[in-house]
Amino acid sequence: MGAALLPDAAFGIFPCCSIVPRHPLICRITSARSIRRRNYFFADQRISKSAHIVFSHSKDSDDTLTDVVFDQDGLSVRSDVIGIENELEIAKKALSEAQHRQEAIEKERDQLLEELARSEAKNQEYINTILHDKEIAIAELEAAKSLFQKKLESSVEEKFTLESKLVLAKQDAVDLAVQVEKLAEVAFQQATSHILEDAQLRISSAETTAAEAALLIEKQIKDATEGTISSIVEKSRHAIERALVVAEEAGELAKRSVDTFIDDTSPFTEVADVQAENIKLQGIISDIESQLMVARSEADKLNFELENTRQKLQAFEQRANDAEKAMLEFQESSRKNSLKKEEEMKSMLDKVKKDVAERTKAISKAFKADLKNIKATVEAAKEVVHCKDYAYLRRCEALQRSLKASEDALKTWRQRAEMAESLLLKGRLQDEGDEDSIYVVNGGRIDLLTDVDSQKWKLLSDGPRREIPQWMARRINAVSPKFPPKKLDVAEAFTSKFRSLELPTADEVWSIAREKPKEGDALVEHVYERETIEKKRKALERALQRKTVQWQRAPEQTKLEPGTGTGREIVFQGFNWESWRRGWYLELAAKTADLSHCGVTAVWLPPPTESVSPQGYMPSDLYNLNSSYGSVEELKYCIDEMHSQDLLALGDVVLNHRCAHKQSPNGVWNIFGGKLSWGPEAIVCDDPNFEGRGNPSSGDIFHAAPNIDHSQDFVRKDIKGWLNWLRNDIGFDGWRLDFVRGFSGTYVKEYIEASNPVFAIGEYWDSLGYEHGSLCYNQDPHRQRIVNWINATGGTSSAFDITTKGILHSALHNEYWRLIDPQGKPTGVMGWWPSRAVTFLENHDTGSTQGHWPFPRDKIMQGYAYILTHPGTPVIFYDHFYDFGIHDVITELIEARRRGGIHCRSSIKIYHANNEGYVAQVGEALVMKLGQFDWNPSKENQLEGSWQKFVDKGADYQVWLRQ
C-alpha cells in the first residue's frame, strides 16, 4: 500500500523508542492474545498541534502503524507508557515469585504423599504378617487334624478288616457244616438206593404177592429216607412175614386143589415145589438181612464221620469265639490308644492356640504402637496441610491485590488511549478536504478504509494483520503465568505436570473475588488436592480401624424371616430335568465350594422322596428318601457339604398331591402306604379320578395324582411332623413349595410356622395376559393373583415372580418400555412387593430338556443383568451357570450386586425406559443400563455423586458403582 503524504508543515521525522505491552493481561485485552508492535515517531518540538499521520505497508509486518507525529502533549503519553511498563515488570516479578512459591508447595505436597504411601506400605506389611501367621496356624491345625483323621481311618480300617475276617471264618465254618451234611445225605442216599435195587431184583422173581410186598417195602423205604436203618429192617421183616403168610395160604390152596382135582401129577410133588420155593424165599430173606447188617455198619461209619464233623465244627466255633475275643480286646486297646492320641492332640492344639494367642497379642501390641505412630503422623500431616492452606490463601490474596493493581493500570491505559483517539478525531476534522484516506476509530482500534474496492475487500477478507511469528509466540509464552490444570482424578493429580493455561477474559479476571469457586478455576485446584489428601487419610484411618477391631468384633446377629431369609439371598437351582440319571447328590456336593466362592447363599435341591416319576414330583412314601438322585446317606452328605460352605439347603417339597400304594375294592388307587398310611378320607371329594371322601379342595385340581385334603387335622399333623423331621434329622434349611395353587395359602402359613424354615418359596404358576397373540402391557391382574397368595400366607413365604419373567421375554427385544409401570415402578411382583419376589429366567420346567417356556438364548445375560441388579431374590439356573459358558459373567454380576449393597428391599428409580434402552438406579450405590441407549451417569442431571464403571458389555448392559 502506498504511503500517505504529509503536508508541508511536517519537518524531519526521527525514530523513537518502541512501546511494547509486556503484561499478558494487556496483550489479551488489546489484541486478543496477539501482540502487534507499533512504532511511534515524534517530530521536532516546533511541530504544531495539527500533526499528520502517515501509514505505510511493508513485507515484514501487516498494516503496521509506522509513523505517528504528536505535538507536545504526546510526550506526556510516552512517559506515562514507560511508567506503566515499569509497573507491569513489577507485576511480572510478583507472578514469578508466586510461581516459585507454588512449586515449593507442590514439592512439600509430594513429600507428604510419599510419607502417606510409606505408611500405607508399612500398614500393608503388618497386615500381610498377621495374615501369614494366621495361615501358618491354620495350616498346622489342618495338618494335625489330617494326621488324626488318618490314624482314626487306619484304626477303623483295621477294625473292619478283623470284623470281615471274623465274618469270613464264621461263613467258612457254616459252609463246612453244610458240606458235611450234604456228603452224609449223599452217602446215605447212595447206600439205601443200592440196597433197594438189590432187593427189587431178587424179590421180582418171587410170586406176585412177594413182588407187591417188595414194591411196598421200596415205597416205604423211599418215603422214610429220613428215618433210621433199623426202621427199614423192621418194615422189611414185616413184609417178608406177610409174604410167608401168603405163601402158606398158597400151600393150603394147593392142598385143597389136590383134593378137588384129580390129576396125573402127584400133590406131594407140588407141595415139595412150594416148600422149595419157601426155602428159596428164606434164603433171600437171609441175604436181605445180611445186606441190611452191612448197611447198618455203613450207617454207623457215617454217624462216626458226622460226629467227627461236629467236633471240627465245635473247634471252628471255638476259634471264631477266640477271634471275636481278640477283636474285642483289639478294639478296646485301639479305643484307649485313640483316646490317648486325642488327648495328645488336644494338648498339642492347646499349645498351638496358646502360641497363636501370644503371637497375636505381640503382633497386636506392635500394630497398636504403629497405629499410634501413624495417627500422630496423620495429625502432623493435617497440621502441615492446614498451614500450607493458610499460606496459599495468603498468596492468593496477594495475587488478587496484584491483579487489582493491574486493573487500575489498565483503566489508566484505556483513558490515555481514549485521549489518543480524540487527538486523531481532531486531526481528521482539520483535514476534511483530504479524500485520499479515511480514518475510523472502532473501540480503541484504528481501522483504515479506502475508496479502492479491491483494497477494501482484501482487508475485509484477509484482515489487516497476519499470524504471529514463532519467535514472537515463544516470547509471549515466556512471560505468561503457569497454573496447574484441573485434576480429573486422583491418579492424574499425582502424575500430571504443570502446563500453560490460557488466561481468562478481563471480566472473568476482575470477578474472581466476587464469584464462588467453580470447577476449572486455577485458584481452587489446591482445594481439590487438599480434598484428595483428606480422602486418602480418612480411608487409611478406616482401614486401620477395621484391622484393629476385627479381632474383637462379635458376629452380627441377622434377623431371619422365612419370606425373605437374610434379605441378601442368591438362590441356585441345583438340578435340571435330567439330573436323576446319575448320582446327583454326590455330583452336586463337589460343586458347593465353587458356589460359595461365587457368592451363592442358598441351593435349591430336587424333591428328596420316593416317587413314581424319577424326577420326584409324584411322591408316594414321604419318609423314604432313597430316590433316583441318590440314597438318604448321600443326601445327608450333600447337605453337610453345603453347610460347611455356609450354604442353605432348600428342599423341594410336594404337598398338594401324593401317589397311592394300593387299590381300593373298587380298583381305585387311593390307599396310601408307608409311615403315613392314609385312606380315601385324606383325598378331596371333588377330585373326579380317585373317589376321595374328604372335603372339597381349597384350590385347583392336579389330575395326575390324588389331591390331598389339607382341611383334615390328621393330614396337617402328619405333614408338620414330616417337615420337622426333614429340618431336624435330615438337615434342610428351607422349602420350595410345589404347585401351591392346589391348596390355600393359610395352610402354607401353618406349615411354615410349625417347621420354621430359614427361607420359603412358593410356585404359584399362572398364565399372563395376551391380546391378539401379543403380550399385554398391563399385567397387574397377573401379579395381583401372586400377591394375593403371598398375602394369604401372611407374608411367611415368598413366590416366584413369573410376571417379571414373562415381561422380560418381550421387553429385551427393544421394548424396554414394558419394564416401567405408570407409577414409575417395575412391572412385575418386584414393583409391588419386592421383598417377597423371587426373580428367575428359567427352571427345570421352562428350560432344560422340557423347554415349555425357554428364555431367549441371546438375551440371557441381559436378563441376569436385570434380576441380579434389582431388588428381590434372584435365582440362577444350573444349566446357565455350568453348561452355557457364562459362569464368570454371572459371578461378576453377583459381585456387582454385593458391592452395590443390593438386597431384596432396595429402592429403585427408573430414569429411562423406551425402545432404545433402560436405565435405573438401584439403592444408593448402583446404576445399570440395558440396550443401545447412549447414556452414562454424567449425562443425568438428577444423578449426583461420582460413578465408576464396573461392568461394560457394550450394547447389552453396563453397570456403574458409586465411588
Side-chain angles (χ1 to χ4, degrees):
M1 181 176 66
L5 298 176
L6 291 172
D8 297 334
F11 293 95
I13 299 174
F14 300 95
C16 187
C17 60
S18 61
I19 301 173
V20 181
R22 304 289 290 179
H23 195 276
L25 294 173
I26 304 303
C27 298
R28 180 178 179 86
I29 294 170
T30 57
S31 60
R33 301 191 66 215
S34 299
I35 299 178
R36 299 291 191 268
R37 177 177 297 179
R38 299 185 180 184
N39 299 324
Y40 297 88
F41 299 90
F42 297 89
D44 189 88
Q45 296 180 359
R46 292 175 294 177
I47 299 176
S48 63
K49 292 184 180 180
S50 59
H52 289 78
I53 300 173
V54 180
F55 293 91
S56 64
H57 177 74
S58 64
K59 295 181 179 179
D60 294 335
S61 61
D62 294 338
D63 196 16
T64 304
L65 181 61
T66 57
D67 298 318
V68 179
V69 181
F70 293 96
D71 59 3
Q72 292 179 356
D73 295 335
L75 295 175
S76 62
V77 175
R78 175 189 173 194
S79 61
D80 292 337
V81 171
I82 294 172
I84 291 173
E85 283 185 347
N86 294 332
E87 292 176 358
L88 292 177
E89 290 292 335
I90 294 171
K92 173 184 174 184
K93 291 179 181 179
L95 289 174
S96 63
E97 291 177 0
Q99 291 177 4
H100 291 304
R101 292 172 184 172
Q102 180 68 19
E103 291 176 357
I105 291 174
E106 291 295 330
K107 290 180 181 179
E108 293 176 359
R109 186 197 65 184
D110 294 338
Q111 292 177 358
L112 180 60
L113 292 176
E114 290 177 358
E115 291 176 0
L116 286 175
R118 285 195 295 271
S119 64
E120 288 181 355
K122 195 171 182 180
N123 178 29
Q124 188 65 32
E125 184 179 356
Y126 286 138
I127 293 172
N128 294 333
T129 304
I130 293 172
L131 293 176
H132 180 66
D133 294 337
K134 180 181 177 182
E135 290 176 357
I136 292 174
I138 292 173
E140 291 176 355
L141 291 174
E142 291 292 335
K145 181 179 177 182
S146 61
L147 180 61
F148 173 73
Q149 191 69 23
K150 288 179 180 179
K151 291 184 178 179
L152 182 63
E153 289 177 357
S154 62
S155 62
V156 171
E157 289 178 357
E158 292 177 357
K159 175 183 176 183
F160 287 160
T161 303
L162 290 175
E163 289 180 352
S164 62
K165 289 181 179 180
L166 178 61
V167 171
L168 291 174
K170 288 182 177 180
Q171 188 65 30
D172 292 339
V174 172
D175 292 340
L176 182 60
V178 171
Q179 290 177 1
V180 170
E181 290 180 357
K182 288 183 178 179
L183 289 173
E185 184 178 359
V186 169
F188 179 74
Q189 289 178 355
Q190 289 178 354
T192 53
S193 64
H194 182 67
I195 294 170
L196 291 174
E197 288 176 358
D198 292 340
Q200 186 178 2
L201 291 173
R202 294 181 181 182
I203 295 174
S204 61
S205 60
E207 294 180 349
T208 304
T209 56
E212 292 176 358
L215 290 174
L216 182 61
I217 292 170
E218 182 180 1
K219 182 178 180 182
Q220 291 176 354
I221 291 173
K222 288 182 179 179
D223 295 335
T225 52
E226 296 179 357
T228 59
I229 302 300
S230 59
S231 63
I232 295 173
V233 172
E234 290 176 356
K235 291 180 180 179
S236 306
R237 288 180 178 176
H238 182 67
I240 293 169
E241 289 176 354
R242 287 182 62 189
L244 292 174
V245 170
V246 172
E248 290 178 355
E249 290 178 357
E252 291 178 356
L253 288 173
K255 289 178 180 180
R256 291 176 184 176
S257 62
V258 170
D259 295 332
T260 55
F261 294 98
I262 298 173
D263 194 1
D264 295 337
T265 306
S266 175
F268 296 102
T269 305
E270 294 179 358
V271 171
D273 294 334
V274 172
Q275 289 178 355
E277 291 293 332
N278 289 335
I279 292 170
K280 289 180 181 180
L281 290 173
Q282 289 178 357
I284 291 169
I285 290 169
S286 62
D287 294 336
I288 291 172
E289 289 179 353
S290 62
Q291 291 177 0
L292 290 174
M293 292 297 291
V294 172
R296 185 178 295 174
S297 63
E298 291 177 356
D300 292 337
K301 290 180 181 180
L302 292 174
N303 289 330
F304 180 73
E305 291 177 358
L306 183 60
E307 188 68 25
N308 292 334
T309 304
R310 288 177 180 174
Q311 292 178 358
K312 291 181 181 179
L313 181 60
Q314 290 177 357
F316 278 118
E317 289 179 353
Q318 186 65 28
R319 289 174 61 185
N321 292 329
D322 294 339
E324 188 173 0
K325 290 180 180 179
M327 187 192 69
L328 293 174
E329 293 176 356
F330 178 76
Q331 288 179 351
E332 186 67 22
S333 63
S334 63
R335 187 178 64 81
K336 292 180 180 179
N337 292 331
S338 63
L339 291 175
K340 185 177 180 181
K341 290 178 181 178
E342 287 178 359
E343 292 177 356
E344 292 176 355
M345 289 296 298
K346 287 181 180 179
S347 62
M348 185 172 67
L349 290 175
D350 293 337
K351 185 178 179 181
V352 171
K353 288 180 181 178
K354 290 180 181 178
D355 294 339
V356 171
E358 293 175 357
R359 193 178 299 174
T360 304
K361 288 180 180 178
I363 293 172
S364 62
K365 288 181 180 179
F367 187 74
K368 288 179 180 178
D370 293 335
L371 181 61
K372 290 180 180 178
N373 295 332
I374 292 172
K375 287 183 177 179
T377 304
V378 171
E379 292 296 331
K382 280 185 186 178
E383 194 67 27
V384 172
V385 170
H386 180 70
C387 295
K388 290 182 178 180
D389 290 342
Y390 181 72
Y392 190 77
L393 291 176
R394 294 291 299 274
R395 294 188 186 100
C396 291
E397 291 175 358
L399 182 59
Q400 289 179 358
R401 288 194 296 270
S402 177
L403 292 174
K404 184 67 175 176
S406 300
E407 180 183 10
D408 295 338
L410 180 62
K411 287 181 180 179
T412 303
W413 173 255
R414 283 180 176 175
Q415 292 175 1
R416 293 172 182 174
E418 290 175 358
M419 292 172 59
E421 289 178 359
S422 65
L423 291 174
L424 293 174
L425 288 173
K426 289 180 181 179
R428 174 186 169 187
L429 293 174
Q430 292 177 0
D431 299 329
E432 290 180 354
D434 189 2
E435 297 179 358
D436 292 340
S437 62
I438 301 175
Y439 309 96
V440 179
V441 179
N442 182 13
R445 178 181 174 182
I446 301 174
D447 293 337
L448 174 63
L449 298 179
T450 64
D451 293 335
V452 182
D453 292 338
S454 61
Q455 296 296 332
K456 183 188 296 184
W457 290 113
K458 181 178 180 181
L459 289 172
L460 291 175
S461 61
D462 299 338
R465 299 177 181 88
R466 294 186 301 180
E467 294 182 358
I468 302 174
Q470 293 294 329
W471 62 271
M472 187 178 293
R474 287 194 297 269
R475 188 171 181 181
I476 293 171
N477 292 331
V479 298
S480 297
K482 298 180 180 180
F483 294 97
K486 175 186 173 183
K487 310 299 188 301
L488 298 179
D489 53 16
V490 177
E492 185 179 353
F494 291 159
T495 58
S496 65
K497 298 180 179 179
F498 291 164
R499 292 174 296 182
S500 298
L501 290 178
E502 294 180 1
L503 288 174
T505 62
D507 295 335
E508 292 175 348
V509 171
W510 311 133
S511 61
I512 289 176
R514 297 188 297 272
E515 291 183 357
K516 295 182 180 180
K518 58 183 180 180
E519 191 175 0
D521 287 345
L523 295 179
V524 298
E525 290 299 327
H526 182 70
V527 178
Y528 291 129
E529 296 171 1
R530 183 180 62 185
E531 291 178 354
T532 301
I533 296 173
E534 189 70 15
K535 288 180 181 179
K536 288 180 67 67
R537 181 188 62 77
K538 290 182 179 180
L540 177 61
E541 288 182 352
R542 287 195 298 269
L544 294 175
Q545 186 178 5
R546 285 197 302 269
K547 295 299 181 183
T548 304
V549 181
Q550 185 177 4
W551 303 96
Q552 302 174 355
R553 185 170 59 187
E556 182 181 0
Q557 297 295 330
T558 305
K559 183 179 179 181
L560 298 178
E561 297 179 20
T564 61
T566 61
R568 302 180 184 273
E569 305 296 344
I570 296 178
V571 182
F572 175 80
Q573 182 177 355
F575 65 99
N576 56 33
W577 192 251
E578 303 298 330
S579 298
W580 61 273
R581 297 184 182 277
R582 51 188 187 270
W584 190 248
Y585 291 141
L586 299 179
E587 185 173 340
L588 187 60
K591 292 181 170 62
T592 54
D594 179 60
L595 293 173
S596 178
H597 176 72
C598 293
V600 173
T601 62
V603 179
W604 165 15
L605 292 171
T609 57
E610 179 192 32
S611 172
V612 174
S613 63
Q615 289 81 14
Y617 289 98
M618 301 287 284
S620 54
D621 187 1
L622 299 183
Y623 279 90
N624 184 4
L625 301 186
N626 295 313
S627 65
S628 301
Y629 299 98
S631 62
V632 62
E633 290 79 14
E634 294 173 348
L635 173 61
K636 290 182 178 179
Y637 169 77
C638 182
I639 294 176
D640 291 338
E641 287 295 312
M642 291 179 184
H643 290 167
S644 67
Q645 298 295 334
D646 297 330
L647 297 174
L648 299 177
L650 305 182
D652 198 336
V653 292
V654 183
L655 304 180
N656 176 75
H657 51 272
R658 182 185 174 193
C659 293
H661 292 75
K662 299 178 182 179
Q663 290 177 307
S664 65
N666 297 332
V668 180
W669 292 89
N670 55 12
I671 307 297
F672 302 96
K675 187 174 181 179
L676 304 181
S677 55
W678 301 335
E681 64 275 7
I683 303 174
V684 294
C685 62
D686 50 354
D687 189 347
N689 299 324
F690 300 96
E691 297 182 0
R693 295 201 293 267
N695 296 319
S697 176
S698 57
D700 296 340
I701 297 296
F702 182 79
H703 297 284
N707 286 246
I708 302 302
D709 182 11
H710 293 270
S711 65
Q712 303 291 340
D713 293 336
F714 72 93
V715 170
R716 296 199 305 276
K717 179 180 178 182
D718 290 343
I719 290 178
K720 287 186 283 188
W722 177 61
L723 292 175
N724 282 312
W725 175 72
L726 292 177
R727 282 275 285 132
N728 301 324
D729 294 353
I730 306 303
F732 283 104
D733 302 299
W735 317 121
R736 182 265 183 186
L737 304 171
D738 182 74
F739 197 75
V740 294
R741 284 182 58 187
F743 53 102
S744 173
T746 57
Y747 300 129
V748 174
K749 178 182 179 182
E750 183 177 353
Y751 297 147
I752 290 177
E753 290 176 350
S755 59
N756 192 24
V758 178
F759 190 49
I761 312 170
E763 184 203 26
Y764 192 92
W765 195 273
D766 197 5
S767 298
L768 278 75
Y770 290 84
E771 185 175 2
H772 304 297
S774 299
L775 184 70
C776 297
Y777 167 74
N778 184 10
Q779 295 294 333
D780 290 349
H782 183 269
R783 58 175 171 175
Q784 184 64 57
R785 290 190 290 271
I786 299 177
V787 170
N788 290 341
W789 181 85
I790 300 174
N791 195 35
T793 67
T796 58
S797 175
S798 58
F800 287 106
D801 192 353
I802 301 170
T803 312
T804 296
K805 170 182 167 57
I807 293 173
L808 284 175
H809 276 251
S810 299
L812 297 182
H813 290 87
N814 298 327
E815 295 179 0
Y816 299 99
W817 45 268
R818 293 183 178 273
L819 299 177
I820 183 171
D821 64 10
Q823 289 74 34
K825 297 180 180 180
T827 49
V829 180
M830 180 199 308
W832 283 359
W833 205 342
S835 64
R836 301 301 189 273
V838 178
T839 55
F840 71 107
L841 301 183
E842 274 189 0
N843 58 25
H844 57 284
D845 288 324
T846 63
S848 188
T849 56
Q850 292 200 100
H852 293 323
W853 194 21
F855 200 84
R857 185 68 177 267
D858 58 336
K859 302 296 181 182
I860 288 177
M861 282 318 305
Q862 280 195 8
Y864 277 118
Y866 182 84
I867 67 173
L868 287 174
T869 58
H870 279 62
T873 302
V875 179
I876 302 169
F877 187 39
Y878 179 90
D879 291 357
H880 295 165
F881 199 66
Y882 283 111
D883 296 337
F884 279 33
I886 54 177
H887 177 279
D888 296 337
V889 184
I890 295 177
T891 304
E892 188 179 37
L893 290 172
I894 295 174
E895 180 64 16
R897 181 183 182 89
R898 186 189 67 81
R899 293 191 182 187
I902 307 303
H903 50 82
C904 66
R905 295 182 176 88
S906 294
S907 61
I908 179 170
K909 183 177 181 181
I910 301 174
Y911 290 101
H912 302 282
N914 49 40
N915 290 332
E916 296 179 358
Y918 170 88
V919 177
Q921 178 183 357
V922 186
E924 298 296 328
L926 187 144
V927 175
M928 65 89 61
K929 177 185 78 73
L930 297 175
Q932 301 178 357
F933 186 61
D934 184 15
W935 184 92
N936 59 66
S938 63
K939 295 183 178 181
E940 194 64 43
N941 296 328
Q942 301 178 4
L943 193 60
E944 300 178 354
S946 178
W947 299 85
Q948 182 178 5
K949 187 177 293 183
F950 184 77
V951 180
D952 187 3
K953 298 300 180 183
D956 286 340
Y957 62 92
Q958 293 176 338
V959 178
W960 291 266
L961 296 177
R962 186 186 294 273
Q963 289 184 345

